[in-house]
Amino acid sequence: MAIGFRILPRDRAVPADLVARFAKLPVANVSDSMNRMTAAGPRLTRMHRDGVLAGPALTVKARPGDNLMLHKAIDMAAPGDVIVVDAGGDLTNSLMGELMLAYAIKRGVAGFVLNGAIRDADQFIAMNLPVFAAGVTHRGPYKDGPGEINVPIALDGMVIHPGDLMLGDSDGVLAVPFDAAEEVYARTMAKQDAETRQMAAIEAGTNDRSWVDTALKRLGCAMPDGI
């Protein structure tokens, strides 16, 4: 089996019930619960109108500007999958447009994360399937390969394995490792509860802000008395 031009099976994926639970949580809070160490970078921006992205990753490694393996991934995708493509971040040629988007919706694909460009941008807004991409160009793709499906990929340092949980909202995209998903969910729920209590304290005027001065003193900040 040739490295660089192969299709592998995906042997695991985060379950649908866990996907549904994560879909209700802000990506920022999930990120905080992973110690803010994982991100796909600000270049991957929302191309749809609204709504959240959540589902197990079907990964694709593609040659920049070539979408042959992306076509095959759409054919392979199970309903609810998020197709994640590392195409090197090149914006010279688009990876997909209106027709591929319509076919993916018909197949039940939950969304796309593309380290590359799209075209037919107005239709991505109108069809409103969750899609994050690095840019837009009218120039179409090639279909010659090579590429790989269901291999580990990385987007701006964020490593994604097949079956990992992909999340996205207006703050950006995040991958949660399969093996850590339940732990990250529990941590995020604890953070949600803490933020709920803090918001209630803000509304009641009882929010404790003493930590700010404590941190400034600990760090040696010079400031006048009474501030």
Side-chain angles (χ1 to χ4, degrees):
M1 187 178 294
I3 300 256
F5 203 8
R6 57 182 178 170
I7 298 171
L8 302 178
R10 186 177 67 185
D11 57 7
R12 64 183 189 177
V14 289
D17 69 303
L18 187 59
V19 172
R21 282 185 276 149
F22 266 101
K24 300 174 184 178
L25 301 175
V27 169
N29 282 0
V30 181
S31 178
D32 283 355
S33 299
M34 297 171 66
N35 288 309
R36 306 180 178 95
M37 290 296 292
T38 300
R43 293 182 73 231
L44 296 181
T45 58
R46 185 174 66 186
M47 298 295 169
H48 55 291
R49 184 175 63 254
D50 53 32
V52 300
L53 174 79
L58 175 61
T59 61
V60 180
K61 189 171 182 63
R63 183 168 66 91
D66 191 290
N67 73 356
L68 177 62
M69 299 305 269
L70 175 53
H71 272 282
K72 182 59 179 176
I74 298 174
D75 287 342
M76 292 172 55
D81 278 350
V82 173
I83 298 177
V84 189
V85 183
D86 175 16
D90 183 77
L91 304 181
T92 306
N93 298 82
S94 62
L95 294 175
M96 63 180 290
E98 175 185 4
L99 295 177
M100 291 177 71
L101 181 64
Y103 176 56
I105 292 171
K106 189 71 172 178
R107 292 275 303 156
V109 172
F112 291 86
V113 178
L114 308 170
N115 193 15
I118 64 162
R119 67 177 180 177
D120 304 324
D122 288 344
Q123 292 305 311
F124 279 73
I125 295 172
M127 294 185 188
N128 204 35
L129 183 74
V131 175
F132 292 80
V136 178
T137 180
H138 56 79
R139 293 178 63 173
Y142 299 99
K143 295 175 173 59
D144 303 310
E148 298 179 294
I149 295 177
N150 283 327
V151 296
I153 61 174
L155 307 182
D156 200 25
M158 183 174 73
V159 177
I160 303 149
H161 290 85
D164 284 352
L165 175 64
M166 296 303 302
L167 299 172
D169 62 17
S170 54
D171 285 333
V173 175
L174 178 66
V176 180
F178 178 94
D179 291 327
E182 286 286 3
E183 179 185 353
V184 171
Y185 179 79
R187 289 185 177 186
T188 306
M189 288 303 299
K191 180 174 177 57
Q192 289 282 101
D193 291 343
E195 289 198 353
T196 298
R197 292 192 299 271
Q198 184 176 0
M199 185 62 75
I202 290 171
E203 293 295 327
T206 60
N207 190 36
D208 182 6
R209 301 288 296 167
S210 62
W211 68 269
V212 177
D213 286 344
T214 298
L216 290 171
K217 291 175 182 177
R218 175 175 58 83
L219 295 168
C221 177
M223 56 184 179
D225 294 337
I227 292 199

PDB file of all heavy atoms in Angstrom, residues 150-164:
ATOM      1  N   ASN A 150      -8.360   8.743   5.944  1.00  0.00           N
ATOM      2  CA  ASN A 150      -8.288   8.081   7.255  1.00  0.00           C
ATOM      3  C   ASN A 150      -6.850   7.859   7.719  1.00  0.00           C
ATOM      4  O   ASN A 150      -6.466   6.767   8.150  1.00  0.00           O
ATOM      5  CB  ASN A 150      -9.073   6.758   7.259  1.00  0.00           C
ATOM      6  CG  ASN A 150     -10.569   7.004   7.355  1.00  0.00           C
ATOM      7  OD1 ASN A 150     -11.025   7.954   7.982  1.00  0.00           O
ATOM      8  ND2 ASN A 150     -11.338   6.139   6.712  1.00  0.00           N
ATOM      9  N   VAL A 151      -6.080   8.941   7.637  1.00  0.00           N
ATOM     10  CA  VAL A 151      -4.737   8.994   8.221  1.00  0.00           C
ATOM     11  C   VAL A 151      -4.687  10.190   9.167  1.00  0.00           C
ATOM     12  O   VAL A 151      -5.500  11.115   9.048  1.00  0.00           O
ATOM     13  CB  VAL A 151      -3.645   9.140   7.140  1.00  0.00           C
ATOM     14  CG1 VAL A 151      -3.613   7.918   6.234  1.00  0.00           C
ATOM     15  CG2 VAL A 151      -3.835  10.422   6.337  1.00  0.00           C
ATOM     16  N   PRO A 152      -3.764  10.210  10.136  1.00  0.00           N
ATOM     17  CA  PRO A 152      -3.621  11.402  10.974  1.00  0.00           C
ATOM     18  C   PRO A 152      -3.208  12.600  10.129  1.00  0.00           C
ATOM     19  O   PRO A 152      -2.371  12.488   9.230  1.00  0.00           O
ATOM     20  CB  PRO A 152      -2.514  11.012  11.958  1.00  0.00           C
ATOM     21  CG  PRO A 152      -2.510   9.519  11.964  1.00  0.00           C
ATOM     22  CD  PRO A 152      -2.874   9.113  10.572  1.00  0.00           C
ATOM     23  N   ILE A 153      -3.816  13.741  10.420  1.00  0.00           N
ATOM     24  CA  ILE A 153      -3.468  14.986   9.737  1.00  0.00           C
ATOM     25  C   ILE A 153      -3.261  16.067  10.787  1.00  0.00           C
ATOM     26  O   ILE A 153      -3.557  15.873  11.967  1.00  0.00           O
ATOM     27  CB  ILE A 153      -4.548  15.419   8.721  1.00  0.00           C
ATOM     28  CG1 ILE A 153      -5.894  15.662   9.430  1.00  0.00           C
ATOM     29  CG2 ILE A 153      -4.687  14.395   7.607  1.00  0.00           C
ATOM     30  CD1 ILE A 153      -6.969  16.241   8.513  1.00  0.00           C
ATOM     31  N   ALA A 154      -2.747  17.216  10.358  1.00  0.00           N
ATOM     32  CA  ALA A 154      -2.554  18.334  11.273  1.00  0.00           C
ATOM     33  C   ALA A 154      -2.937  19.631  10.569  1.00  0.00           C
ATOM     34  O   ALA A 154      -2.551  19.856   9.419  1.00  0.00           O
ATOM     35  CB  ALA A 154      -1.109  18.405  11.756  1.00  0.00           C
ATOM     36  N   LEU A 155      -3.710  20.453  11.267  1.00  0.00           N
ATOM     37  CA  LEU A 155      -4.092  21.769  10.773  1.00  0.00           C
ATOM     38  C   LEU A 155      -3.516  22.812  11.710  1.00  0.00           C
ATOM     39  O   LEU A 155      -3.961  22.941  12.854  1.00  0.00           O
ATOM     40  CB  LEU A 155      -5.619  21.909  10.709  1.00  0.00           C
ATOM     41  CG  LEU A 155      -6.388  20.834   9.944  1.00  0.00           C
ATOM     42  CD1 LEU A 155      -7.875  21.154   9.947  1.00  0.00           C
ATOM     43  CD2 LEU A 155      -5.874  20.685   8.524  1.00  0.00           C
ATOM     44  N   ASP A 156      -2.509  23.521  11.253  1.00  0.00           N
ATOM     45  CA  ASP A 156      -1.851  24.556  12.058  1.00  0.00           C
ATOM     46  C   ASP A 156      -1.417  24.019  13.408  1.00  0.00           C
ATOM     47  O   ASP A 156      -1.578  24.679  14.440  1.00  0.00           O
ATOM     48  CB  ASP A 156      -2.784  25.758  12.224  1.00  0.00           C
ATOM     49  CG  ASP A 156      -2.017  27.027  12.604  1.00  0.00           C
ATOM     50  OD1 ASP A 156      -0.817  27.104  12.281  1.00  0.00           O
ATOM     51  OD2 ASP A 156      -2.603  27.916  13.232  1.00  0.00           O
ATOM     52  N   GLY A 157      -0.918  22.784  13.436  1.00  0.00           N
ATOM     53  CA  GLY A 157      -0.425  22.176  14.656  1.00  0.00           C
ATOM     54  C   GLY A 157      -1.453  21.368  15.424  1.00  0.00           C
ATOM     55  O   GLY A 157      -1.095  20.666  16.368  1.00  0.00           O
ATOM     56  N   MET A 158      -2.729  21.452  15.053  1.00  0.00           N
ATOM     57  CA  MET A 158      -3.766  20.669  15.716  1.00  0.00           C
ATOM     58  C   MET A 158      -3.859  19.308  15.035  1.00  0.00           C
ATOM     59  O   MET A 158      -4.271  19.202  13.885  1.00  0.00           O
ATOM     60  CB  MET A 158      -5.123  21.377  15.638  1.00  0.00           C
ATOM     61  CG  MET A 158      -6.230  20.641  16.386  1.00  0.00           C
ATOM     62  SD  MET A 158      -7.790  21.570  16.420  1.00  0.00           S
ATOM     63  CE  MET A 158      -8.330  21.366  14.713  1.00  0.00           C
ATOM     64  N   VAL A 159      -3.466  18.261  15.756  1.00  0.00           N
ATOM     65  CA  VAL A 159      -3.440  16.917  15.193  1.00  0.00           C
ATOM     66  C   VAL A 159      -4.838  16.307  15.283  1.00  0.00           C
ATOM     67  O   VAL A 159      -5.505  16.389  16.318  1.00  0.00           O
ATOM     68  CB  VAL A 159      -2.420  16.037  15.936  1.00  0.00           C
ATOM     69  CG1 VAL A 159      -2.446  14.613  15.397  1.00  0.00           C
ATOM     70  CG2 VAL A 159      -1.018  16.636  15.806  1.00  0.00           C
ATOM     71  N   ILE A 160      -5.273  15.688  14.193  1.00  0.00           N
ATOM     72  CA  ILE A 160      -6.595  15.066  14.119  1.00  0.00           C
ATOM     73  C   ILE A 160      -6.432  13.638  13.633  1.00  0.00           C
ATOM     74  O   ILE A 160      -5.850  13.394  12.568  1.00  0.00           O
ATOM     75  CB  ILE A 160      -7.512  15.835  13.156  1.00  0.00           C
ATOM     76  CG1 ILE A 160      -7.634  17.303  13.577  1.00  0.00           C
ATOM     77  CG2 ILE A 160      -8.893  15.186  13.082  1.00  0.00           C
ATOM     78  CD1 ILE A 160      -7.829  18.243  12.430  1.00  0.00           C
ATOM     79  N   HIS A 161      -6.934  12.699  14.411  1.00  0.00           N
ATOM     80  CA  HIS A 161      -6.955  11.298  14.013  1.00  0.00           C
ATOM     81  C   HIS A 161      -8.353  10.929  13.527  1.00  0.00           C
ATOM     82  O   HIS A 161      -9.344  11.515  13.975  1.00  0.00           O
ATOM     83  CB  HIS A 161      -6.558  10.396  15.181  1.00  0.00           C
ATOM     84  CG  HIS A 161      -5.119  10.489  15.565  1.00  0.00           C
ATOM     85  ND1 HIS A 161      -4.640  11.457  16.416  1.00  0.00           N
ATOM     86  CD2 HIS A 161      -4.046   9.731  15.201  1.00  0.00           C
ATOM     87  CE1 HIS A 161      -3.331  11.298  16.571  1.00  0.00           C
ATOM     88  NE2 HIS A 161      -2.942  10.267  15.850  1.00  0.00           N
ATOM     89  N   PRO A 162      -8.455   9.967  12.634  1.00  0.00           N
ATOM     90  CA  PRO A 162      -9.779   9.527  12.203  1.00  0.00           C
ATOM     91  C   PRO A 162     -10.639   9.142  13.407  1.00  0.00           C
ATOM     92  O   PRO A 162     -10.186   8.415  14.293  1.00  0.00           O
ATOM     93  CB  PRO A 162      -9.473   8.316  11.318  1.00  0.00           C
ATOM     94  CG  PRO A 162      -8.066   8.533  10.844  1.00  0.00           C
ATOM     95  CD  PRO A 162      -7.362   9.225  11.955  1.00  0.00           C
ATOM     96  N   GLY A 163     -11.864   9.645  13.431  1.00  0.00           N
ATOM     97  CA  GLY A 163     -12.771   9.330  14.521  1.00  0.00           C
ATOM     98  C   GLY A 163     -12.738  10.283  15.684  1.00  0.00           C
ATOM     99  O   GLY A 163     -13.587  10.198  16.580  1.00  0.00           O
ATOM    100  N   ASP A 164     -11.756  11.210  15.727  1.00  0.00           N
ATOM    101  CA  ASP A 164     -11.753  12.241  16.758  1.00  0.00           C
ATOM    102  C   ASP A 164     -12.986  13.122  16.611  1.00  0.00           C
ATOM    103  O   ASP A 164     -13.603  13.195  15.539  1.00  0.00           O
ATOM    104  CB  ASP A 164     -10.499  13.118  16.652  1.00  0.00           C
ATOM    105  CG  ASP A 164      -9.240  12.445  17.171  1.00  0.00           C
ATOM    106  OD1 ASP A 164      -9.344  11.344  17.758  1.00  0.00           O
ATOM    107  OD2 ASP A 164      -8.148  13.012  16.974  1.00  0.00           O
TER     108      ASP A 164
END
